Amino acid sequence: MSPTAWIPPPGPGIDAYRVVVGDRTIDELFRLAAPMKGKRLQHVNATRAGGGVAEILNRAVPLMAELGLDVSWDVLRGEDEFYAVTKKFHNAIQGDPIEITSTDLEIFLKWNRINEKEIDLHGDFVIIHDPQPCAMIETKRATSRRPSGPGQKFIWRCHIDAANPNRRLWNFLSTYIQRYDGSLFSAPQFTGVLPIPQYLVAPSIDPLSDKNKPLTEEQVSAVCERHGIDMKRPILTQVSRYDRFKDPVGVVETYRMVKQTNDCQLVLAGGGASDDPEGMEVLAEVREAAGNDPDIHVLMLPNGAHIEINALQRASTVVIQKSLKEGFGLTVSEALWKGKPVIGGATGGIPLQILNGVNGYLVNSPEGAAFRTRFLLNHPEVAQEMGRRGIEQVRQNFLTTRKLRDYLMIMNATTTSDRTITLK
Ligand code: UDP
């Protein structure tokens, strides 16, 4: 283990997941992990806390250790100049028209080289998350000639929307990415033309975390009471950062259209925007759109309000995620897991989760969202059935255990050129 490595504290053990996903799923994890026992699995990313990647690694690392892997997690070091460049990279990969300069590329390489000296990339499997550390492979693999057979395996995991990346930047990053033994993307439209194996691994939610674990009715009603939400009347909810791509004002429009025919309340729950000037701006726009309608609850929640969000999702009649652009949209899986029909924007990773007309509806406008919401309010038996299907859709596809299986399968796949895996 490198001296910089960090191991998060263990949460619920792997056996606790048996009641959620069944013995077969957990037994399969142990079978897939068996050939990997004692192998050093090293994750490298840019941050230990905050953001989805850290969230995911905090749970995945202890669970992989329990499965017998010698797992560790290293976090990059950098100064403001590096983070300013990597933020630019992030936005440019997601399609913002930003100019990337030669100085940006130099700063990026400088910090990758510093980190490469300080973090010993010793793992049998090294998973490098996102663009920030992707050039650390430079000294391990001088060219894109990838050795076959045994030896260290390097995998690049892309968590962001790379459907329309800035070409100059992508070409630059590709010179490093193609030295890896494989790459992982969250959705098919994010994959690009790369001369290395590409695997799809969707993000996942943890059914035993505070955000998703079962709550008592008292816990749910206490949260609603605190916010003046009436549980006896229909509740429409969107949980999101105050970000224009999440279209909160479009959700208010949707609510107003529905309200013309159906009694209902709207809850918009978001947070973490206090240090983000645009977030505060969007929050102000939402408050203005909401006016003084007592049935619209615009909530600003502190970071870590997991149980509160869990309770609001559970109290909802219909959950909305009317995004205009979305990487994956974890909030969709979170709501489906709580047995709620979800009306979501037909964008990014949302159509992976919402099967139109099966566990919710995909929409492209406030009118479409209002039409579907009204239907669900008027047909509670359909809403309930959709909710049941949603739980199964998430159980099969979007829980932590599936992601662990995917990682183990890929580790096996990258080492199987000289042997066959036998699963009993
Ligand atoms: N979330 C939260 N507090 C908030 C708003 C969102 O904890 O005030 C959580 C939400 O429950 C989900 C994640 O942050 O787990 C957001 O992930 P998603 O993929 O939906 O959107 P992103 O914010 O990454 O664009």
Side-chain angles (χ1 to χ4, degrees):
M1 194 179 296
S2 81
T4 51
W6 135 267
I7 302 289
I14 198 112
D15 279 325
Y17 293 79
R18 287 184 185 274
V19 289
V20 183
V21 293
D23 287 336
R24 272 181 65 172
T25 301
I26 303 300
D27 293 344
E28 188 193 10
L29 288 182
F30 280 104
R31 278 198 299 272
L32 283 167
M36 297 295 134
K37 213 172 179 67
K39 295 268 189 214
R40 291 165 306 175
L41 169 62
Q42 184 178 16
H43 291 277
V44 182
N45 86 320
T47 171
R48 183 163 294 164
V53 182
E55 192 80 29
I56 286 167
L57 289 177
N58 263 303
R59 287 300 296 134
V61 167
L63 289 171
M64 285 181 159
E66 203 185 330
L67 285 167
L69 280 84
D70 178 2
V71 59
S72 62
W73 173 12
D74 287 282
V75 175
L76 289 191
R77 186 171 78 77
E79 287 174 8
D80 289 353
E81 59 169 8
F82 177 60
Y83 297 118
V85 167
T86 55
K87 186 165 179 207
K88 254 176 116 174
F89 277 23
H90 180 93
N91 292 339
I93 290 173
Q94 299 216 122
D96 269 6
I98 290 175
E99 204 205 326
I100 304 292
T101 65
S102 303
T103 313
D104 292 337
L105 303 183
E106 277 161 26
I107 291 170
F108 174 78
L109 286 179
K110 175 179 127 186
W111 281 100
N112 267 261
R113 286 168 188 155
I114 290 172
N115 279 287
E116 207 280 324
K117 285 205 183 74
E118 292 178 358
I119 298 173
D120 177 17
L121 293 183
H122 66 287
D124 298 304
F125 295 90
V126 180
I127 303 188
I128 303 276
H129 295 261
D130 279 338
Q132 299 96 325
C134 88
M136 281 176 69
I137 196 168
E138 193 181 30
T139 53
K140 293 282 180 180
R141 300 265 172 89
T143 70
S144 57
R145 272 175 56 95
R146 286 171 283 120
S148 58
Q152 276 190 296
K153 302 292 175 193
F154 292 88
I155 292 171
W156 184 61
R157 199 324 175 200
C158 178
H159 293 269
I160 60 182
D161 177 344
N164 290 300
N166 172 301
R167 271 295 133 205
R168 174 167 191 236
L169 176 60
W170 190 251
N171 290 342
F172 166 78
L173 293 176
S174 292
T175 61
Y176 298 98
I177 295 167
Q178 58 190 252
R179 303 180 199 187
Y180 285 77
D181 298 286
S183 55
L184 312 183
F185 292 88
S186 297
Q189 66 271 33
F190 302 158
T191 60
V193 182
L194 287 173
I196 59 172
Q198 298 178 62
Y199 301 94
L200 283 177
V201 178
S204 60
I205 62 165
D206 184 343
L208 303 183
S209 66
D210 283 349
K211 180 70 65 58
N212 299 305
K213 69 186 184 187
L215 297 180
T216 62
E217 276 176 32
E218 290 72 34
Q219 283 174 298
V220 175
S221 52
V223 169
C224 288
E225 232 166 78
R226 196 157 59 240
H227 293 294
I229 301 163
D230 179 1
M231 287 184 68
K232 293 193 200 72
R233 294 162 56 218
I235 301 169
L236 319 178
T237 302
Q238 173 159 300
V239 174
S240 273
R241 290 177 294 107
Y242 290 102
D243 178 323
R244 293 193 182 92
F245 284 125
K246 309 283 184 184
D247 200 17
V249 172
V251 179
V252 174
E253 284 172 43
T254 300
Y255 155 85
R256 289 207 199 288
M257 288 181 223
V258 174
K259 187 86 174 187
Q260 288 170 12
T261 54
N262 293 70
D263 179 35
C264 60
Q265 305 157 85
L266 174 65
V267 177
L268 288 166
S274 54
D275 59 342
D276 171 359
E278 196 169 278
M280 296 312 283
E281 230 174 74
V282 177
L283 178 62
E285 286 167 19
V286 174
R287 289 213 158 114
E288 197 185 325
N292 49 15
D293 185 333
D295 280 337
I296 303 183
H297 303 270
V298 181
L299 310 181
M300 184 67 181
L301 302 178
N303 281 337
H306 301 310
I307 294 206
E308 197 137 3
I309 289 175
N310 186 343
L312 292 170
Q313 288 165 330
R314 286 183 192 280
S316 306
T317 318
V318 174
V319 170
I320 300 175
Q321 187 55 58
K322 225 198 85 37
S323 304
L324 304 171
K325 189 164 177 174
E326 189 62 78
F328 181 71
L330 279 176
T331 50
V332 172
S333 276
E334 289 167 5
L336 290 172
W337 182 241
K338 284 144 198 150
K340 305 299 167 182
V342 183
I343 296 177
T347 184
I350 293 179
L352 294 177
Q353 303 169 76
I354 298 179
L355 309 177
N356 197 31
V358 175
N359 56 9
Y361 292 106
L362 294 169
V363 297
N364 293 291
S365 64
E367 289 77 8
F371 174 73
R372 298 305 195 182
T373 304
R374 213 179 276 127
F375 176 82
L376 288 171
L377 294 182
N378 293 338
H379 298 84
E381 67 299 340
V382 176
Q384 210 175 27
E385 177 56 26
M386 283 189 167
R388 269 196 291 271
R389 294 184 197 135
I391 295 172
E392 290 319 308
Q393 158 77 343
V394 175
R395 197 193 307 278
Q396 299 296 327
N397 300 294
F398 302 118
L399 294 185
T400 317
T401 41
R402 190 238 67 233
K403 187 190 55 222
L404 290 175
R405 187 192 62 202
D406 286 354
Y407 271 78
L408 290 167
M409 296 270 263
I410 289 161
M411 289 168 72
N412 277 289
T414 54
T415 51
T416 45
S417 52
D418 48 354
R419 63 183 180 79
T420 314
I421 322 171
T422 312
L423 297 178
K424 295 195 195 109

